[in-house]
Amino acid sequence: MFIPPVPTLHRQGNGVVILDQTALPWQCVERRLATLAAAAEAIASMRVRGAPLIGVTAAHGIALALVSDAPDDAALDHALAVLRATRPTAVSLAWALARMEKRLRPLPIAARREAAWAEATAILAEDAATCEAIGAHGLALLRALPERTGRPLRVMTHCNAGWLATTGAGTALAPIYAARDAGIAVEVYVSETRPRNQGLLTAWELATVSIDHILIADNAAGLLLARGEVDAVIVGADRIAANGDTVNKVGTCLKALAARASGTPFYVAAPVSTVDADAASGEAIPIEERAAEEVLAITGLNDDSFPRRVRLAPESTRTANPAFDLTPAALVSGFITEHGVIAASRLNELPQGAGT
Ligand code: MRU
């Protein structure tokens, strides 16, 4: 079983400790959350990020809320509303909150506090097990790719869908960890993922577990795919519509198009809780629009190795900053889930998804 080098979230008494991802990849900083407000802030400001980890954090946010407030219906409703409003796109958030509500609402008030911790802990443990299963199914796919001569298996990914985005081995990166453990020589093309540069988190993450990787500018992906230098693209997902349309980090769709044009398989790795049965197609999925500042400025280390924010464009420049994009189901070669690799047309046969 893959054990993350640093836990992304763990319980500590009546609080939780997170790895603060806003400090990465420059500093490894843990932060204790003790209140509902702190959990909500951690999700909204992307101290925790990645769909599965957002869900796990939201579940723990409910437990935190019930520690400080009387665990009555009003407190539960308030906590659900506060957490639901943090980020709109990743359906794992709504899925985890619905699961917490279903477990807690019918219980007598006196039993809710302990039950909230127990359910949040179960969600965390299941997430890690799900990642493991995704890794095993993805490994079978990687083994089936055509033999290469003289070079390692090369997988391209986008954004961060690894151990930093979950409580286990990740989603898109889980098959890569499984391949390495199976003795397959593998290297990963990592696109930087402007504007929030989650690709830098992926590079940092892969470095922590000694996986060979090559950081590329987002715009380099098309050329590398066209040259046949990539054996497969694997990305995560924030929400998958019932027809297989996939919403993932902005830039994913361009990779899917380039993969299709070059004949490279393009896989989406995600737990079935990412499938939103209520969204018939991708058009129904809300795309988060984030602050202009993310496009206008960038953070990096200065010559003295201190993180510094610098402005890239005039303050008055207009921006658009959609955080996710929509990849049509037709461009996806298969969905790597904990239940196996399936086609878009069979997503509705999966045992459980989000939605009503
Ligand atoms: O905005 P973020 O960093 O929360 O984005 C989520 C992601 O990490 C990705 O979109 C990812 O590819 C899917 S979630 C494992």
Side-chain angles (χ1 to χ4, degrees), residues 46 49-52 87 159-161 165 171 198 236-238 248-249 324:
M46 294 171 66
R49 28 129 333 264
R87 292 193 73 188
C159 190
N160 174 264
T171 53
Q198 286 92 338
D238 294 271
N248 190 51
K249 183 54 58 193
F324 302 94

Side-chain angles (χ1 to χ4, degrees), residues 51 86-93 238-240 247-248 276 285-289 323-325:
T86 50
R87 292 193 73 188
T89 301
V91 78
S92 315
L93 176 75
D238 294 271
R239 198 185 298 214
I240 301 168
V247 168
N248 190 51
D276 182 355
I285 298 176
I287 303 282
E288 179 178 13
E289 184 72 27
F324 302 94
D325 68 15

